[in-house]
């Protein structure tokens, strides 16, 4: 096959990855745990053997750093590859802290590998995806996924690992979309800056592994209250580490705090809901499927738009 299309869903980390133990190999300084979410998706077609390298995202030709990131990833898959045309569409805002790079690089490596006609295991693909964007290693899988730091120097044991499938637990993730434009500081720049200048960074990396162990147990036993508490503290500790950087880095906007307060009021009124934020101002809220409408109504009072996501399946070739 010389043309192939793949679809991948983004994932939101419940226990965050923030910091790199190896920048060249893109190895994480913390383990993480995530939930893959639909209907958000990236659909990517790779034409393996074209006249020139070209990468299109949402109808726009990529250049500079963005295009290099795509083609460097294809060079890793095959250093002797032919020229390729990559065409990618997101059905949700790109680079706004909504995990578009996670689905983007997962769909890219899957489509490129299918187009090249070379069989590769899902673990191998997850390692390639990690090199493009760390969180992408988790988007090859559906449902609940872990990404361990790994111990090997070459990073071959640091990739997504499925924890429980999409239908394991009927939860929802609501997104309070406060700002849908691209973020000012990329997650890589934010992580490196935090790692280099924040006195809180070592404490963050020390606490993170324990959160993953506890979150894994909470997912397995479907204990939403236990998981929710871990989700909030992981997000807040990650953001605290960057707010303590020099100069401070803060992705939040006033609406972020308003959404956090809305979630806390919901909880005080007896509705189980827990917030998390990534490298952007938008707030994502974890809740049981049965409570999703109550959460949506509460977030609608503080956000321009509220979107409802449910556990999604693994990345797939179309
Ligand atoms: O993999 P990246 O470069 O998109 O970084 C992801 C960083 C966070 O979204 C903040 C956390 C995470 O684990 O997804």
């Amino acid at each position: 096959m010389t043309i192939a299309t793949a679809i991948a869903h983004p994932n939101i980390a419940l226990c965050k990855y923030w910091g790199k133990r190896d920048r060249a190999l893109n190895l994480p300084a913390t383990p993480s745990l995530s939930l893959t979410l639909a209907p958000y998706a990236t659909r990517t077609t790779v034409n393996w053997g074209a006249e020139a390298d070209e990468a299109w995202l949402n109808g726009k030709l990529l250049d500079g750093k963005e295009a290099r990131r795509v083609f460097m990833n294809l060079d890793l898959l095959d250093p002797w590859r032919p020229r390729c045309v990559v065409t990618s569409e997101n059905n949700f805002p790109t680079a706004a802290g909504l995990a578009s790079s996670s689905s983007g690089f997962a769909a890219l490596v899957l489509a490129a590998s299918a187009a090249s006609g070379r069989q590769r295991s899902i673990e191998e693909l997850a390692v390639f995806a990690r090199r493009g964007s760390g969180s992408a290693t988790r988007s090859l899988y559906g449902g609940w996924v872990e990404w361990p730091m790994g111990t090997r120097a070459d990073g071959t044991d640091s990739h997504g690992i499925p924890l429980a499938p999409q239908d394991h637990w009927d939860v929802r993730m609501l997104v309070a979309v406060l700002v849908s434009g691209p973020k000012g500081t990329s997650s890589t720049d934010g992580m490196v800056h935090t790692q280099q200048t924040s006195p809180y960074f070592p404490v963050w990396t020390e606490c993170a592994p324990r959160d993953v162990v506890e979150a894994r147990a909470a997912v397995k036993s479907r204990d939403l209250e236990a998981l929710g508490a871990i989700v909030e503290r992981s997000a807040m500790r990650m953001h605290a580490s960057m707010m303590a950087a020099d100069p401070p880095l803060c992705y939040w906007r006033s609406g972020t705090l308003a959404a956090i307060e809305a979630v806390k009021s919901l909880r005080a009124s007896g509705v189980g809901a827990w917030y998390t934020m990534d490298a952007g101002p938008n707030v994502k809220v974890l809740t049981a499927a049965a409570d999703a409408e109550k959460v949506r109504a509460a977030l609608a009072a503080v956000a321009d738009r509220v979107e409802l996501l449910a556990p999604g399946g693994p990345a797939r070739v179309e």
Side-chain angles (χ1 to χ4, degrees), residues 202-278:
V203 186
W204 153 249
T205 57
E206 193 187 306
C207 295
R210 205 165 46 240
D211 285 345
V212 170
V213 171
E214 290 178 22
R216 183 192 303 142
V219 168
K220 290 214 159 145
S221 61
R222 299 189 187 85
D223 184 341
L224 198 52
E225 211 157 306
L227 181 62
I230 301 161
V231 165
E232 289 194 352
R233 76 173 186 239
S234 174
M236 291 307 247
R237 285 175 183 172
M238 175 187 77
H239 284 277
S241 77
M242 58 184 108
M243 287 182 198
D246 190 11
L249 173 60
C250 183
Y251 286 102
W252 298 7
R253 295 294 170 266
S254 55
T256 310
L257 222 38
I260 290 175
E261 287 305 320
V263 171
K264 282 163 67 179
S265 309
L266 266 174
R267 229 164 40 230
S269 74
V271 178
W274 293 268
Y275 58 80
T276 185
M277 292 80 64
D278 293 282

Side-chain angles (χ1 to χ4, degrees), residues 5 22 38 124 172 209 229 258 285:
T5 298
D22 183 315
E124 277 180 278
R172 294 291 179 269
V285 183

Side-chain angles (χ1 to χ4, degrees), residues 294-306:
K294 286 184 203 142
V295 176
R296 188 207 289 269
L299 292 177
V302 295
D304 295 342
R305 213 167 76 231
V306 181

Side-chain angles (χ1 to χ4, degrees), residues 123-204:
E123 287 81 12
E124 277 180 278
L125 291 178
V127 167
F128 286 121
R130 185 201 75 221
R131 298 284 296 270
S133 167
S135 55
T137 194
R138 301 183 306 234
S139 266
L140 262 324
Y141 305 90
W144 308 82
V145 184
E146 272 190 52
W147 174 22
M149 290 170 64
T151 53
R152 287 187 210 141
D154 67 359
T156 48
D157 60 347
S158 183
H159 55 75
I161 294 176
L163 175 63
Q166 158 187 26
D167 60 1
H168 168 70
W169 195 4
D170 204 14
V171 301
R172 294 291 179 269
M173 187 76 85
L174 289 102
V175 185
V177 183
L178 305 157
V179 178
S180 56
K183 56 195 168 205
T185 307
S186 73
S187 43
T188 290
D189 290 350
M191 282 182 208
V192 170
H193 178 63
T194 306
Q195 197 156 355
Q196 288 174 343
T197 68
S198 174
Y200 294 1
F201 185 76
V203 186
W204 153 249

Side-chain angles (χ1 to χ4, degrees), residues 11-18 20 26 30 32-34 69 97 99-102 130 132-136 138 147 183 186-188 191 238-239 242 251 277-280 284:
N11 67 78
I12 296 295
L14 305 173
C15 295
K16 306 294 186 188
Y17 144 58
W18 194 255
K20 299 179 195 278
N26 211 23
T30 59
S32 55
L33 190 151
S34 63
R69 213 172 148 196
S100 56
S101 64
S102 65
R130 185 201 75 221
S133 167
S135 55
R138 301 183 306 234
W147 174 22
K183 56 195 168 205
S186 73
S187 43
T188 290
M191 282 182 208
M238 175 187 77
H239 284 277
M242 58 184 108
Y251 286 102
M277 292 80 64
D278 293 282
K284 296 103 184 187

